[in-house]
Amino acid sequence: MQAFQFENLATRVRFGSGSLRHLREEVVRLGAGRVIVLTTPQQVSLADRAEELLGDLAVARFTDATMHTPVSVTEAALAISRQAGADGIVSLGGGSTIGLGKAIALRTGLPHLTVPTTYAGSEMTPILGETDNGLKVTQRQPAIQPRSVLYDVDLTLSLPFAASVTSGLNAIAHAVEALYAAEGNPITAMLAEEGIRSFAQALPLLQADPYVRSAREQALYGAWLCGTCLGQVGMALHHKLCHTLGGTFGLPHAETHSVILPHAIAYNAVASVAMGRISRALGTDGPPALVMFALARQLGAPTALRDLGMPEDGIAQAADLAAANPYPNPRPIERDRIEALLRRAWAGSPPLPEDS
Ligand code: NAD
């Protein structure tokens, strides 16, 4: 076994069906008595429910959380929080709302409890990406990590199936890259394999019926595992490509992950131990890149960058950007091969062995 380092980041987790009913108890446990409630405009009814459960502990609300955590939005929420004398933060929603809660926590030191309703996994990470003047800056530090996470499976029943798939594939991508991460370790590898397995089993069941609670439970459990992987180790080629495509070409976050993942796996096929674990998690002997591509297709996820609005004449620039300052990766980054990979991903072609 290779030498490794492992750090457990302290977050309290409460998981179950209907666990939102414990919200007040969990806020009290954090030592907060005056909280601000955060959601997106699409989830205002969830803010209503949270306030009902919190009673006099809820002193303010902000329901304009926005994708990519714009600093101007954070400042607006901060003003409301300060005016109300809030001493704690409750965020309910996906990565966008959790990002806002993290941004406020980082600036104020207030304890942050989050109730995730997608599978993106931000709740388990000390990572925050903020946008200001069109630039996204990402930082990683312990003060960003939420102190408490309340996973309520019932709140994920309303996540549309298409969003569940892209969010799930986004989560799988965290686990895949954790398996060949430079800081990889045996504990994270176990979590990653189990996280991939959870989604590979749950997503086809949700395709048949998105309201099957046991499948939703398995998917949310997978989100916890995959998010933990993202929080524990650094990411590689796949995330570099997605950050480049999202940052420079404005492609949508989760959908871009869905398209790129099979191609990134093909490129990194040299990481044989990781590939073995991915195959085992997917329950197949086939090449994991092709199996992942087939799974995405079967689930109706996007498989072509051109369908996400990527201009064909931007591919060469994307390859240049991805090859400059690459993240650590098991296989050296060769610019021309990255361009070939992106051309296939643009067209929606399956990953080919020449990527590997
Ligand atoms: P999101 O939070 O932007 O949510 C998308 C939409 O779905 C929103 O309108 C939201 O209100 C709605 N929604 C969420 N849950 C729902 C539910 N259960 N039912 C119905 N509607 C629901 O999407 P996301 O993919 O969770 O988050 C994406 C953002 O999170 C990106 O900005 C990404 O960069 C960030 N992110 C950060 C990290 C990190 O560790 N810092 C990790 C993953 C993602």
Side-chain angles (χ1 to χ4, degrees):
M1 185 181 292
Q2 273 188 311
F4 64 89
Q5 298 181 30
F6 179 77
E7 200 170 328
N8 224 352
L9 294 164
T11 295
R12 175 177 162 76
V13 170
R14 192 157 184 172
F15 186 101
S17 167
S19 59
L20 188 65
R21 68 182 183 280
H22 302 300
L23 182 61
R24 187 181 166 97
E25 180 191 337
E26 290 298 322
V27 165
V28 170
R29 187 188 271 266
L30 270 185
R34 300 175 60 78
V35 300
I36 180 166
V37 173
L38 310 174
T39 66
T40 60
Q42 292 76 24
Q43 290 182 292
V44 170
S45 61
L46 192 50
D48 295 340
R49 270 183 74 191
E51 284 180 354
E52 213 171 285
L53 289 161
L54 289 166
D56 59 346
L57 300 188
V59 296
R61 71 151 66 183
F62 183 86
T63 56
D64 284 323
T66 307
M67 182 86 107
H68 303 310
T69 330
V71 169
S72 57
V73 172
T74 299
E75 281 166 357
L78 258 178
I80 291 172
S81 173
R82 289 201 169 115
Q83 200 175 14
D87 64 3
I89 305 156
V90 171
S91 63
L92 306 101
S96 298
T97 310
I98 298 170
L100 175 61
K102 288 174 162 182
I104 298 175
L106 182 63
R107 286 164 174 77
T108 58
L110 297 183
H112 176 198
L113 179 151
T114 188
V115 182
T117 62
T118 70
Y119 305 133
S122 176
E123 65 279 2
M124 293 310 298
T125 82
I127 304 167
L128 171 63
E130 296 182 281
T131 40
D132 200 10
N133 294 323
L135 264 187
K136 187 162 183 174
V137 177
T138 300
Q139 53 180 318
R140 178 187 269 263
Q141 48 174 302
I144 290 170
Q145 177 128 1
R147 293 257 298 275
S148 188
V149 180
L150 199 48
Y151 284 107
D152 185 340
V153 177
D154 299 3
L155 301 180
T156 62
L157 292 171
S158 58
L159 189 64
F161 175 68
S164 303
V165 169
T166 50
S167 192
L169 292 171
N170 182 187
I172 289 177
H174 305 328
V176 162
E177 296 236 295
L179 284 170
Y180 51 63
E183 310 91 335
N185 64 72
I187 302 295
T188 306
M190 273 196 307
L191 300 177
E193 189 176 328
E194 183 65 4
I196 297 169
R197 182 176 296 116
S198 295
F199 277 112
Q201 291 174 354
L203 292 175
L205 296 173
L206 291 174
Q207 187 170 28
D209 180 355
Y211 297 101
V212 176
R213 205 173 300 261
S214 56
R216 285 287 182 188
E217 201 165 67
Q218 202 175 5
L220 193 59
Y221 174 60
W224 172 19
L225 297 171
C226 295
T228 303
C229 293
L230 177 66
Q232 284 180 346
V233 297
M235 296 287 117
L237 172 68
H238 170 82
H239 282 74
K240 177 71 183 185
L241 288 173
C242 292
H243 292 165
T244 303
L245 295 168
T248 306
F249 299 96
L251 302 194
H253 179 83
E255 290 83 350
T256 306
H257 277 270
S258 304
V259 175
I260 294 295
L261 183 60
H263 300 276
I265 295 175
Y267 191 89
N268 282 329
V270 289
S272 56
V273 175
M275 294 302 132
R277 280 193 179 266
I278 298 168
S279 291
R280 202 159 59 196
L282 293 172
T284 169
D285 290 333
L290 288 175
V291 175
M292 194 64 80
F293 185 79
L295 179 66
R297 226 183 213 174
Q298 174 202 327
L299 295 169
T303 50
L305 292 177
R306 68 174 166 200
D307 295 341
L308 305 182
M310 173 76 188
E312 188 172 13
D313 61 8
I315 292 175
Q317 187 195 355
D320 289 342
L321 290 169
N325 307 315
Y327 298 172
N329 195 63
R331 176 179 173 198
I333 301 301
E334 296 170 50
R335 190 224 163 269
D336 291 350
R337 284 183 177 270
I338 296 298
E339 181 171 338
L341 178 161
L342 286 171
R343 290 205 179 279
R344 257 195 298 285
W346 182 84
S349 309
L352 286 179
E354 55 258 40
D355 279 338
S356 55

